[in-house]
């Protein structure tokens, strides 16, 4: 069948402003949106810019906005958009470098500011640290994060407060706060306890809706809010 | 621009990251990666990392070593397998200490599960040896090591693609790289270059590999005259999603999944009576292809079924959640209720850049190439022999990535700065200019799909002199047509159209090396299975293939296999 695409095009070093370009691709209902973009690039227009690598939702390269909803082009199939022209745009809230390629440096920097590595003060061990399956389970959903940035891009609270660290950063904070092997529980919790941290989340649930890995993002942020209130009852939130 | 670092590591997957962590601190080390660093294909590894920890049941490193050797159909160099198996527990504990969130046993230890070809007591029954974090083991390992590398302040250059190595008087002097964001060609001046560029499954049409896995890291040294080893040994993983190639980890069978043919039969019982569905990958892939060729595919078609319906939703959710979601997304099937159509998919390259156990790259006379190192899937340590066992690659990356890092540290004092030759970037610039200026010709994507189809049809699970000769002649005619490759993007920024064209040269060169090596090996061993020579022939072929480019010709020669503990025996399971 023929599928119509309308794709955001912009090279900030050349173009005055963004434009949309239309393409028609023949595709099967079971094909990925990424397959269609590839066909456009390989057969029609080699100037189209987008990132991709693994093609099955683990590397996190091809986050973009498809018909208004952030997601991975390799996880969305043509059949989900039947009948309509498919609108493809770059992730919102990110600076466009070219077409669908956005600047990810700031995103990773944001995560790095919150020490995304285990802090362990215990003695050096010969074997593994012990951790119960129940404790391990507490991080099971957040270790699914692939750093694709769809959650942060989709979050309406980012419009209200552009300084908000965003849901992805908070998921990485959550991952270490709830790792029973980590010794910095209080410091980590304190680190997200500020206006641009957990308190900027206004429960829009957009992050949860778009997460390609089905991480319950909003719920996890709310859990941290509860833990902050319990751990630091004296401070005002 | 010219950048200067003592050590430049090409590749920010697990092999590159692990080496970088070892080198950092003492010397100035930088990583370059063609994909954004957290996108490297190590992140796609699902099932686990092997180590005889014995957390679930008795295990020993000798059994692990034996399995690796037998899995490799005795082409494995046994002193290398011994290092792998003995160092494995240390390597896994180290990962745990760094923060990798492994699943746990009820008593809090690292959980382990069964995997293909891993057995107890020298082949008696499957053993639980694979340490895992659900079915995203590679991803969590990579994120852990990446953030540790960042913490150590290791310089990472994202989206820079190596185009050439620079040599001066036989020693490495650096490399030439293309910056995706600007189109600029840079020179990296260094005392050491380490290659950690991963696999090149994109030589084939159906593959579990990423689009980025196009093999320049292996092709560039080959073009420069360094031989490649055991290139005919290409692993086809039994369970790729039908028609797509997306991987469904062997962990699915490790957790109890079963393969069934068109009549619902558990056919692996006929091929490997002892360990059945957990036989090594080459055997299972051959069994699937045989079932299909003999008309026992599903509805007579070219696929069989993976049956996970008896595992239960909880096990699928806790241990196989990613592959459950792949099946739901791409096939619209719930694996808890329905059978999954699968077919073999190109997965792993046993062959690559010949190296010793400390990561030194070896030249045509087995001599160390000063300053050049390699580790990970791009390298060939003769560890995986003719067929790699599942979970031995992640282990290979961290064990030999670390050893290479340590060796670089030891060697540096003896590796002076070499003066750069004049205009080392000129050949790369010239190649780019030619492609950009060409007005008429064929697009790279078109030639690439021809190549991928040819390789899949003629040089995959089963091979024959006739099909290999055809494959070779098609590759050579595609190489000729490549001389007229065109692009329609002549811009500078994020020009992946240009990179597609540059990468195709590597795919063609490697396809040729695979096919020529396969044509020359007149026996069947591990993943290399010849219809016209169906038996393993130790008398004549217990040796490693080396292939080298010399003045436009390719030369094939051989080197012996290192046998220490286990004499070759018939390989049955
Ligand atoms: C789907 C899948 C599942 C797997 N599951 C398992 C498993 O469960 N257990 C197991 O042991 N093994 C598994 N494997 C195998 C294993 O994951 C790979 O062999 C391994 O991750 C390769 O790691 P690497 O560090 O060598 O390369 P990669 O992780 O592939 O990294 C290569 C790096 O090199 C860079 N690069 C490449 N070319 C260039 C260039 N020209 N210029 C600059 N940079 C370049 C890339 O950007 C990247 O950073 C799996 C493989 C696949 C495909």
């Amino acid at each position: 069948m023929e599928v119509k695409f309308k794709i955001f095009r912009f090279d900030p070093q050349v173009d005055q402003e963004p434009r949309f370009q239309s393409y028609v691709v023949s595709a099967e209902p079971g094909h990925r949106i990424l397959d269609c973009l590839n066909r456009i690039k390989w057969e029609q227009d080699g100037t189209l810019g987008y990132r991709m690598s693994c093609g099955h939702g683990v590397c996190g390269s091809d986050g973009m906005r498809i018909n208004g909803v952030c997601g991975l082009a390799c996880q969305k199939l043509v059949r989900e958009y039947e009948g309509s022209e498919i609108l493809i745009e770059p992730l919102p809230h990110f600076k466009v470098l070219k077409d669908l390629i956005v600047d990810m440096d700031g995103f990773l920097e944001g995560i790095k500011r919150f020490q995304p590595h285990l802090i362990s003060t215990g003695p050096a061990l010969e074997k593994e640290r012990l951790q119960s399956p129940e404790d391990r389970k507490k991080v099971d959903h957040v270790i699914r994060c692939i750093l694709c940035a769809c959650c942060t891009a989709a979050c309406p609270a980012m419009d209200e407060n552009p300084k908000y660290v965003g849901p992805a950063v908070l998921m990485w904070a959550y991952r270490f706060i709830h790792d029973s092997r980590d010794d910095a529980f209080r410091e980590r919790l304190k680190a997200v306890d500020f206006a641009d941290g957990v308190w900027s989340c206004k429960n829009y649930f957009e992050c949860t809706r778009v997460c390609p890995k089905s991480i319950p993002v909003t719920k996890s942020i709310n859990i941290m809010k509860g833990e902050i209130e319990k751990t630091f009852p004296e401070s005002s939130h | 621009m010219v950048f200067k670092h003592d050590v430049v590591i090409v590749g920010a997957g697990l092999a590159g990251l692990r080496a970088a962590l070892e080198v950092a601190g003492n010397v100035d080390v930088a990583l370059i990666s063609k994909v954004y660093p957290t996108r490297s294909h190590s992140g796609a590894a699902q099932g686990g990392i092997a180590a005889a920890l014995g957390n679930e049941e008795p295990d020993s490193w000798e059994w692990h070593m034996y399995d690796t050797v037998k899995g490799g159909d005795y082409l494995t160099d046994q002193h290398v397998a011994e290092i792998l198996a003995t160092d494995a527990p240390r390597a896994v504990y180290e990962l745990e200490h760094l923060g990798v969130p492994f699943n746990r046993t009820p008593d809090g230890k690292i959980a382990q599960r069964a995997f293909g070809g891993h057995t107890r007591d020298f082949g008696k029954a499957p053993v639980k040896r694979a340490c895992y974090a659900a079915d995203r083991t590679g991803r969590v390992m990579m994120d852990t090591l990446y953030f540790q590398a960042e913490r150590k302040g290791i310089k990472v250059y994202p989206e820079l693609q190596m185009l050439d190595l620079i040599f001066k008087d036989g020693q490495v002097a650096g490399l030439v790289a293309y910056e995706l964001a600007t189109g600029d060609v840079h020179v990296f001046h260094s005392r050491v270059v380490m290659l950690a560029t991963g696999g090149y499954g994109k030589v084939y049409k159906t593959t579990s590999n990423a689009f980025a896995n196009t093999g320049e890291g292996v092709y560039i040294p080959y073009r420069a005259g360094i031989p490649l080893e055991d290139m005919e040994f290409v692993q086809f993983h039994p369970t790729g999603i039908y028609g797509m190639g997306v991987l469904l980890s062997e962990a699915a069978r490790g957790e109890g999944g079963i393969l069934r043919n068109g009549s619902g039969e558990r056919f692996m019982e006929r091929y490997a009576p002892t360990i059945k569905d957990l036989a090594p990958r080459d055997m299972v892939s051959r069994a699937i292809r045989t079932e299909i060729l003999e008309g026992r595919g599903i509805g007579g078609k070219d696929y069989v079924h993976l049956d996970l319906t008896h595992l239960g939703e909880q096990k699928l959710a806790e241990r196989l959640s990613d592959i459950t979601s792949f099946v739901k997304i791409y096939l619209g099937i719930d694996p808890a209720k329905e059978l999954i159509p699968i077919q073999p998919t190109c997965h792993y390259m046993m062959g690559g850049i010949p190296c010793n156990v400390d990561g030194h790259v070896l030249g045509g006379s087995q001599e160390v190439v000063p300053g050049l190192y390699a580790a990970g899937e791009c390298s060939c340590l003769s560890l995986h022999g003719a067929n790699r066992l599942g979970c031995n690659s992640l282990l290979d990356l961290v064990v030999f990535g670390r050893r290479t890092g340590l060796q670089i540290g030891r060697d540096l004092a003896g590796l002076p700065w070499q003066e750069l030759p004049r205009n080392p970037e000129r050949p790369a610039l010239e190649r780019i200019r030619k492609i950009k200026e060409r007005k008429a010709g064929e697009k790279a994507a078109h030639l690439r799909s021809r190549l991928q189809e040819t390789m899949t049809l003629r040089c995959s699970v089963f091979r024959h002199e006739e099909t290999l000769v055809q494959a070779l002649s098609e590759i050579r005619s595609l190489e000729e047509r490549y001389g007229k490759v065109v692009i329609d993007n002549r811009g500078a920024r994020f020009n992946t159209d240009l990179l597609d064209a540059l990468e195709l040269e590597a795919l063609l060169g490697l396809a040729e090396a695979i096919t020529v090596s396969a044509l020359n090996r007149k026996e069947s061993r591990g993943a290399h299975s010849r219809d016209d020579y169906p038996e393993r022939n130790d008398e004549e072929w217990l040796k490693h293939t080396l292939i080298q480019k010399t003045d436009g010709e390719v030369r094939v020669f051989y080197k012996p296999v290192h046998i220490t503990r286990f004499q070759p025996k018939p390989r049955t399971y």
Side-chain angles (χ1 to χ4, degrees):
Chain A
M1 67 194 216
E2 302 229 300
V3 188
K4 290 195 190 126
F5 281 89
K6 201 166 127 186
I7 303 181
F8 176 97
R9 303 296 310 267
F10 183 47
D11 183 342
Q13 300 211 336
V14 184
D15 303 327
Q16 294 289 313
E17 55 190 68
R19 66 199 153 86
F20 285 89
Q21 195 163 345
S22 296
Y23 301 92
V24 181
V25 195
S26 68
E28 302 293 322
H31 287 168
R32 295 166 278 202
I33 298 299
L34 178 63
D35 296 320
C36 301
L37 294 178
N38 284 341
R39 228 159 278 154
I40 292 170
K41 198 191 89 181
W42 294 342
E43 293 162 16
Q44 304 180 25
D45 183 355
T47 68
L48 181 63
Y50 54 96
R51 289 193 180 102
M52 56 145 178
S53 190
C54 78
H56 63 285
V58 288
C59 77
S61 300
D62 61 349
M64 54 190 72
R65 191 150 76 157
I66 309 171
N67 275 1
V69 181
C70 297
L72 303 178
C74 63
Q75 270 198 358
K76 299 286 177 192
L77 304 187
V78 168
R79 76 163 69 90
E80 300 167 43
Y81 305 91
E82 225 149 344
S84 66
E85 181 182 54
I86 304 174
L87 175 67
I88 308 272
E89 298 164 287
L91 290 178
H93 300 122
F94 285 80
K95 188 174 126 203
V96 173
L97 298 176
K98 181 172 187 286
D99 302 338
L100 306 171
I101 299 173
V102 297
D103 188 346
M104 295 289 291
D105 290 352
F107 175 77
L108 273 185
E109 283 310 315
I111 290 171
K112 283 173 210 159
R113 271 201 293 280
F114 292 84
Q115 309 206 56
H117 50 81
L118 204 66
I119 297 176
S120 174
T121 49
L125 295 172
E126 205 178 307
K127 292 193 169 184
E128 72 266 59
R129 262 170 302 219
L130 297 182
Q131 182 181 40
S132 71
E134 295 72 36
D135 277 341
R136 164 60 180 70
K137 218 172 168 171
K138 291 179 188 152
V139 298
D140 217 25
H141 57 291
V142 276
I143 60 169
R144 294 203 289 257
C145 177
I146 56 171
L147 298 164
C148 68
C150 286
C151 57
T152 297
C155 176
M158 298 293 299
D159 292 320
E160 294 165 11
N161 175 15
K163 287 193 343 224
Y164 175 29
V165 297
V169 167
L170 296 176
M171 285 311 92
W172 279 83
Y174 185 102
R175 184 238 171 283
F176 288 99
I177 288 171
H178 294 93
D179 193 324
S180 61
R181 301 170 298 170
D182 192 89
D183 295 326
F185 177 81
R186 287 179 68 90
E187 297 86 315
R188 289 185 187 277
L189 210 50
K190 198 81 211 135
V192 293
D193 173 20
F194 66 119
D196 302 330
V198 289
W199 306 109
S200 275
C201 169
K202 296 292 183 308
N203 284 311
Y204 288 107
F205 281 89
E206 275 304 303
C207 49
T208 307
R209 185 161 82 100
V210 302
C211 176
K213 290 298 176 185
S214 310
I215 300 174
V217 184
T218 319
K219 185 177 161 199
S220 308
I221 296 174
N222 286 330
I223 289 174
M224 288 191 286
K225 288 178 183 168
E227 281 167 334
I228 288 169
E229 282 169 343
K230 220 169 74 197
T231 313
F232 311 109
E234 67 292 354
S235 55
S236 61
H237 305 293
Chain B
M1 259 177 81
V2 178
F3 297 93
K4 220 172 154 177
H5 297 280
D6 291 310
V7 178
V8 178
I9 298 177
V10 189
L14 280 169
L17 286 170
R18 185 61 194 82
L21 285 172
E22 209 56 48
V23 178
N26 311 319
V27 290
D28 173 19
V29 53
L31 283 160
I32 75 168
S33 171
K34 68 188 273 190
V35 297
Y36 208 75
T38 62
R39 314 306 187 201
S40 302
H41 207 50
S42 287
Q46 302 170 359
I49 173 167
L53 304 182
N55 283 355
E56 305 258 3
E57 53 189 350
D59 198 2
S60 87
W61 70 261
E62 280 103 336
W63 300 346
H64 186 185
M65 175 187 167
Y66 170 79
D67 290 338
T68 302
V69 171
K70 182 177 171 190
D73 216 351
Y74 295 92
L75 194 70
T76 294
D77 278 354
Q78 298 189 8
H79 66 298
V80 189
E82 181 162 341
I83 292 174
L84 182 88
T86 50
D87 198 31
R90 183 207 56 74
V92 169
Y93 292 138
E94 172 185 88
L95 289 167
E96 196 282 326
H97 297 164
L98 287 172
V100 173
F102 288 110
N103 280 40
R104 298 291 170 151
T105 63
D107 55 355
K109 296 181 185 162
I110 294 171
Q112 299 188 275
R113 63 181 162 206
F115 236 79
H118 290 281
T119 69
R120 93 176 139 72
D121 210 2
F122 306 105
K124 297 254 164 58
V127 74
K128 293 183 175 174
R129 186 178 289 148
C131 312
Y132 62 98
D135 51 354
R136 56 188 71 87
T137 313
R139 180 79 219 191
V140 295
M141 280 172 62
M142 210 174 67
D143 289 338
T144 302
L145 294 197
Y146 172 71
F147 285 125
Q148 291 286 351
E150 282 289 337
R151 186 182 174 201
K152 283 203 165 184
I154 295 168
K155 172 85 184 149
V156 183
Y157 293 87
E159 300 187 312
L160 248 80
Q161 187 150 338
M162 172 175 66
L163 299 178
D164 267 325
L165 285 166
I166 306 171
F167 293 92
K168 181 80 194 294
D169 303 330
Q171 186 188 319
V172 163
L175 58 85
V176 178
Y178 181 89
E179 184 178 359
L180 190 60
T182 58
D184 292 339
V185 171
H186 301 295
V187 171
F188 282 77
H189 187 192
S190 68
R191 296 154 71 193
V192 162
V193 171
M194 175 185 164
L195 301 168
T197 55
Y200 37 96
K202 280 289 160 189
V203 168
Y204 289 84
K205 181 176 170 209
T206 306
T207 175
S208 64
N209 280 202
F211 287 98
N213 286 15
T214 48
E216 308 84 67
V218 176
Y219 175 70
I220 290 167
Y222 178 56
R223 187 175 60 197
I226 289 165
L228 299 179
E229 184 178 341
D230 289 342
M231 291 297 283
E232 63 271 42
F233 298 102
V234 177
Q235 179 164 82
F236 290 82
H237 192 293
T239 56
I241 290 183
Y242 179 55
M244 280 187 100
V246 168
L247 190 79
L248 302 178
S249 171
E250 202 167 82
R253 279 168 288 135
E255 297 288 1
I258 288 170
L259 294 167
R260 297 189 187 282
N261 63 16
S263 50
E265 183 205 6
R266 183 180 190 182
F267 57 87
M268 280 313 298
E269 287 181 332
R270 278 187 277 118
Y271 296 88
T274 312
I275 60 174
K276 305 183 179 76
D277 298 272
L278 286 174
R281 291 173 180 171
D282 58 325
M283 296 181 84
V284 182
S285 286
R286 272 196 298 280
I288 294 173
R289 288 296 303 159
T290 304
E291 291 299 296
I292 291 169
L293 290 171
E294 295 180 355
R296 292 188 295 277
I298 308 300
K301 294 223 206 89
D302 58 342
Y303 64 91
V304 296
H305 276 146
L306 173 64
D307 182 357
L308 306 181
T309 54
H310 52 293
L311 299 189
E313 307 228 352
Q314 194 189 343
K315 208 177 213 181
L316 290 176
E318 277 177 13
R319 303 193 190 169
L320 300 168
S321 74
D322 261 5
I323 66 167
T324 301
S325 85
F326 299 153
V327 172
K328 285 185 178 160
I329 292 170
Y330 298 118
L331 298 170
I333 281 177
D334 179 357
K337 302 200 179 80
E338 287 165 86
L339 306 181
I340 309 162
I342 56 95
Q343 67 181 167
T345 183
C346 170
H347 184 61
Y348 184 87
M349 301 298 181
M350 272 72 76
I353 308 161
C355 284
N356 65 21
V357 294
D358 294 312
H360 290 126
V361 171
L362 304 175
S365 331
Q366 298 301 302
E367 80 287 7
V368 167
V369 181
L372 190 59
Y373 299 76
E377 192 172 336
C378 70
S379 71
C380 179
L381 290 158
S382 312
L383 166 62
H384 306 298
N387 170 66
R388 172 177 72 84
L389 290 190
C391 296
N392 265 357
S393 175
L394 291 184
L395 180 59
D396 170 4
L397 308 176
V398 291
V399 166
F400 291 97
R402 170 175 171 272
R403 287 179 69 95
T404 305
L406 284 168
Q407 188 62 35
I408 290 171
R410 286 193 287 266
D411 289 351
L412 260 177
L415 291 167
W417 284 97
Q418 294 289 84
E419 209 178 304
L420 284 174
R422 272 170 62 91
N423 301 326
E425 69 278 37
R426 183 173 290 157
L429 287 171
E430 200 51 23
R431 284 197 296 276
I432 292 171
R433 187 187 58 81
K434 275 198 190 139
I435 294 174
K436 278 195 168 177
E437 284 178 359
R438 196 170 294 132
K439 294 284 177 323
E442 289 177 278
K443 285 213 57 168
H446 177 67
L447 299 174
R448 185 178 57 212
S449 44
R450 286 302 306 274
L451 173 72
Q452 292 167 335
E453 276 160 24
T454 297
M455 291 300 284
T456 299
L457 196 65
R458 309 192 201 285
C459 188
S460 55
V461 176
F462 288 114
R463 300 156 177 196
H464 188 282
E465 167 116 16
E466 241 168 69
T467 61
L468 292 171
V469 168
Q470 282 171 346
L472 194 56
S473 98
E474 284 185 48
I475 294 165
R476 297 218 160 119
S477 101
L478 288 168
E479 272 171 345
E480 216 155 278
R481 285 156 72 181
Y482 178 73
K484 293 224 168 57
V485 74
V486 285
I487 55 176
D488 41 40
N489 184 354
R490 296 190 168 74
R493 306 186 58 243
F494 293 100
N495 189 345
T496 48
D497 200 23
L498 172 67
L499 290 180
D500 278 353
L502 292 170
E503 288 166 358
L504 181 57
E505 184 190 338
L507 290 176
L508 286 163
L510 296 175
E512 184 186 70
I514 292 169
T515 311
V516 171
S517 303
L519 200 50
N520 275 266
R521 183 175 285 274
K522 295 184 170 49
E523 65 154 356
S524 289
R525 182 185 299 275
H528 173 69
S529 184
R530 295 268 308 241
D531 291 334
D532 43 352
Y533 301 94
E535 303 298 325
R536 193 177 86 192
N537 175 354
D538 289 337
E539 205 123 295
E540 288 172 80
W541 290 102
L542 188 58
K543 54 189 180 185
H544 299 289
T545 305
L546 290 162
I547 182 166
Q548 189 177 25
K549 260 187 191 299
T550 41
D551 307 319
E553 295 291 303
V554 293
R555 170 171 90 102
V556 177
F557 53 111
Y558 296 89
K559 71 175 180 187
V561 175
H562 223 283
I563 294 171
T564 58
R565 285 171 179 251
F566 304 110
Q567 285 306 315
K569 279 194 300 204
R571 182 169 171 252
T572 52
Y573 284 91

